[in-house]
Amino acid sequence: MLPFFAIRRLLYRTLLKYDIDAESRIAPFTVLVARKVTMRGARIGMFNMLVLDQLDMAAGSRIRMLNRAQGIRTLRLAEDAFILNSNFIGGTWGGPLQTGDEVLDLGPRSQLTLRAFVDLNDSVSFGADVVAGGVGTQFWTHGFDCYRNRIRGAIRVADTVFIGAGCMVLPNVSICSEVTVGAGSVVHRPIIEPGLYVSSQLVQKG
């Protein structure tokens, strides 16, 4: 008897034309709706809602559980990149404000960990060996000024970067390699030199 996923993979390939190889797996109770899917030795866990234009997952990459992604043009995971649990990734693709830049690109061995929010009005890219998105971490690629003019800009994170829980990264920010951003920091300008960065000082008030 054929394994259950072998039957589902056959349906994905024949009815939806998804390019999923024999080493890849999509767990039950996950919704995957896309125009184009490519999976090579990749796995998607249970209870995910993935509604996007293109999904590209390389060997060893994983999307674990309870993630929600919608309004995205391209979600790309390089080798051994992970999206862990309960993250929300949302963009404007398919709507009246779509930009064409709604892309999340995770480099080799990079991770979006737990309960992060990623705004994809513009693109967000991680290089290799980036760990980001502890509980409450947010990546914002758009905003508004006081006249309600819409502002947007990409976020670029280079290699070997750790972004702690509760951080907020704002539009038009780039972070160079070998950087640690302390928990609760607001990154509102580019970081161009390696090191440890925090955005607030602990002050005694009484």
Side-chain angles (χ1 to χ4, degrees), residues 70-118:
Q70 65 184 49
I72 301 169
R73 184 168 71 86
T74 304
L75 176 57
R76 185 180 300 113
L77 283 72
E79 294 81 2
D80 300 312
F82 277 45
I83 295 176
L84 297 181
N85 302 324
S86 303
N87 298 288
F88 178 81
I89 307 163
T92 52
W93 181 258
L97 296 178
Q98 74 176 27
T99 65
D101 296 318
E102 299 91 346
V103 177
L104 176 59
D105 197 340
L106 302 186
R109 300 172 301 282
S110 288
Q111 297 184 15
L112 188 68
T113 57
L114 178 67
R115 290 170 55 191
F117 174 86
V118 181

Side-chain angles (χ1 to χ4, degrees), residues 132-139 162-170 180-188 191 196-202:
V135 173
T137 293
Q138 302 174 43
F139 297 86
F162 180 86
I163 299 174
C167 290
M168 183 180 296
V169 183
L170 299 181
T180 300
V181 181
S185 297
V186 177
V187 185
H188 60 88
I191 296 176
L196 169 63
Y197 291 81
V198 295
S199 67
S200 59
Q201 183 176 4
L202 187 64

Side-chain angles (χ1 to χ4, degrees), residues 23-34:
E23 286 73 41
S24 297
R25 295 288 185 273
I26 301 174
F29 310 113
T30 276
V31 175
L32 174 58
V33 179

